[in-house]
Structures are given as structure tokens and as C-alpha cells.
Amino acid sequence: MDEAEVRRRLLQLFKAKVCFRPRFGYWELRPTPAAAAGTPDLVHPSTTPLLDAALLLQDLHSRTEQAVLLHTYSPITGERLCIGAAGAHDVRLRRELASAPRAVDRLRRAPLDSDAPGLVMLAYLAGHDVPLREELRQIRSTQVALTKAPLPGWILVSVPVRRLPGAPAVPGAEPRVVAAVSILAPAHTHGDPLVAYGRLMNSAVQTAIGSSVVISQPRFAAAPAA
């Protein structure tokens, strides 16, 4: 086939989401759905994410074509814990994670001050009258954090989450930061990921929280005994 025909067919595969372009001139096949079942190793085994939160992660993954992670924190250990992931089945990401098992452990669980998801939560855990170091003050001001990821050659861009989508809200209580949504992207990402990803995630999080449905009553009443 000539070059024009090859390009036409590759674009068809790209539009059908069978393949993707990690960078100009390079094409990679997407994994089959069966491969996605083997991706929970980034998620801490002791947690179960809410459905609405999982839908938020999937939406962000489909809009950015990057892996999206959801972290919360343990007040007992002072660690951030990954409780959800979308897009972690990406071929290139899986290949690099396989060669860096320590990075998998650090993405799953790490001290709060290790990287962006922990820092963006840490910036809000202190009271508003508590002096913050400059890094945390800046994060609180912009509502977004960017650092290197535990995986070499990748970055984490994180925003705070004041209530997990689908979780019940306490009437009259001021919402506190309970989690962080992060995009895990190659370090050579085009443009300014701090601005582009930060705005997108903050907007998506607010929309998801505002539109999530909380079921406070049983759907079905028990049938009276005969």
C-alpha cells in the first residue's frame, strides 16, 4: 500500500479507538477489553470506589486519552491510597509499569507529601488559619498540583475532591477535601498540562458531584408476609 492508503486506514482505526498515537509518527494498538480486567494492581485492595466516582474517571480518561487515578488518604498512617483507576490498561503504560514494580507500589500507596495527589489533599487538610509552606499555599490558590510521578518519565496532575461523587452529603456541613483525581501522563505531554488538565478535571469533578444521585431510601419495600 502507498503512504496515503496506510494513513487512511490508520486514521480509520484511530477513529474507531482501535489504535492511538502516543506521539507524531507512531501508532499503537489498544488492548482488547479482556486485557482491561488485569488492571486493578494500581488500586489498593482494601477499597471499593463508588459507581459515580468510577464513571467520573472513565469520562476523564475518554476525554484525555490518559490514565486517571483516584486517591484518598488515611488519617491513621498519613498516606494516600489509590481507590480507583481508568485507562491503566494502556499498552505503553502497562509495559513501563511491568518494568518498574516499585512505581506500582508508590502509585498505589505513598506518604501524602510524596507527589501531586497527596500534596493537593495535604494543602486543604490544614485549617485556613494555619500557615502553609509556599508550595502548599500555591496549590491551595490554584486548586491543582503537578509533580513527577513515581514512574520515571511520567507526571501526575491532581485536583482536590471535596466529596466523592455518589457519596451522601452531610446537611449544613462545610465540604472538606476527601480525595484527589489525577491524570498520569508522559512527561513530554504537549502544551501546559497544569492548566489544561487542571481546568478540565476541576470542571468535571464539580459537575460529577453536582449531578450524582444519592440513594438514601431502599429502592424496594419488603413485601408483607403472607
Side-chain angles (χ1 to χ4, degrees):
M1 292 182 288
D2 60 26
E3 184 177 347
E5 179 64 13
V6 170
R7 179 173 177 79
R8 186 184 71 81
R9 296 196 182 190
L10 284 172
L11 286 174
Q12 287 180 332
L13 293 173
F14 178 77
K15 290 179 180 179
K17 296 189 175 182
V18 175
C19 73
F20 70 105
R21 302 175 67 180
R23 59 186 182 277
F24 182 79
Y26 289 82
W27 303 77
E28 290 187 12
L29 289 174
R30 290 188 178 279
T32 62
T39 62
D41 47 3
L42 288 179
V43 178
H44 197 270
S46 67
T47 55
T48 304
L50 296 164
L51 174 61
D52 284 4
L55 294 175
L56 167 64
L57 302 185
Q58 288 291 347
D59 175 59
L60 284 170
H61 167 60
S62 66
R63 293 165 70 179
T64 63
E65 301 292 335
Q66 305 288 3
V68 185
L69 308 178
L70 177 65
H71 288 89
T72 188
Y73 65 90
S74 167
I76 298 175
T77 65
E79 295 175 311
R80 58 152 180 76
L81 306 174
C82 184
I83 62 171
H89 58 271
D90 173 83
V91 174
R92 179 186 175 191
L93 176 59
R94 299 292 298 171
R95 185 168 60 236
E96 297 199 18
L97 286 173
S99 64
R102 288 188 178 183
V104 176
D105 291 338
R106 297 286 288 185
L107 284 167
R108 184 190 301 127
R109 179 178 182 175
L112 276 172
D113 59 357
S114 297
D115 46 35
L119 289 171
V120 85
M121 290 186 284
L122 195 59
Y124 288 88
L125 288 176
H128 284 277
D129 56 344
V130 176
L132 296 176
R133 66 176 190 259
E134 178 58 27
E135 179 186 27
L136 296 180
R137 190 192 65 77
Q138 186 66 24
I139 290 172
R140 182 183 284 185
S141 173
T142 60
Q143 301 186 58
V144 62
L146 183 153
T147 65
K148 292 180 180 178
L151 185 63
W154 294 69
I155 59 172
L156 282 164
V157 185
S158 307
V159 301
V161 180
R162 286 183 167 80
R163 177 167 63 84
L164 288 177
V170 179
E174 182 180 350
R176 60 187 178 86
V177 168
V178 297
V181 171
S182 306
I183 285 177
L184 177 63
H188 58 72
T189 302
H190 297 295
D192 186 346
L194 188 68
V195 174
Y197 287 153
R199 287 177 178 172
L200 173 63
M201 286 191 291
N202 271 314
S203 174
V205 166
Q206 295 306 316
T207 300
I209 291 174
S211 62
S212 63
V213 177
V214 178
I215 300 174
S216 57
Q217 300 293 332
R219 288 191 181 184
F220 305 102

